[in-house]
């Protein structure tokens, strides 16, 4: 079964889209119930959806912290 999941499962509270794949909670929950055509139609919309999600790490990574401390960020 085709799936856009990249195992980054976290929902953007502003748009309601998953940060990783762009699906909504309802779409994720019903994914196995959709037909192949329905899944393909949703997957065709995902690139545009992901453009609306602000891509920021939820927490500061070690690499980012070290760069900030060195004055690079």
């Amino acid at each position: 079964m085709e799936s856009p999941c990249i195992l980054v499962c976290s929902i953007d509270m502003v748009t309601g889209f998953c940060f990783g794949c762009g699906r909504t909670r309802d779409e994720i929950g019903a994914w196995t119930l959709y037909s192949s055509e329905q899944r393909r139609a949703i997957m065709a919309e995902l690139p545009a959806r992901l453009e609306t999600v602000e891509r920021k790490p939820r927490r500061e990574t070690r690499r980012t912290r070290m760069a900030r401390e060195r004055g690079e960020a």
Side-chain angles (χ1 to χ4, degrees), residues 4-48:
C5 182
I6 61 168
L7 302 176
V8 177
C9 305
S10 184
I11 303 295
D12 177 24
M13 299 311 289
V14 175
T15 63
F17 300 140
C18 174
F19 283 101
C21 69
R23 294 178 292 172
T24 65
R25 288 178 193 266
D26 289 341
E27 290 167 343
I28 293 167
W31 195 249
T32 60
L33 305 175
Y34 293 140
S35 68
S36 294
E37 293 79 22
Q38 288 171 310
R39 286 192 297 272
R40 281 191 213 106
I42 292 168
M43 290 194 319
E45 297 175 18
L46 299 181

Side-chain angles (χ1 to χ4, degrees), residues 4 7 20 33 51 62 65 67 73:
L7 302 176
L33 305 175
E51 291 294 321
R62 182 172 183 253
R65 180 180 50 79

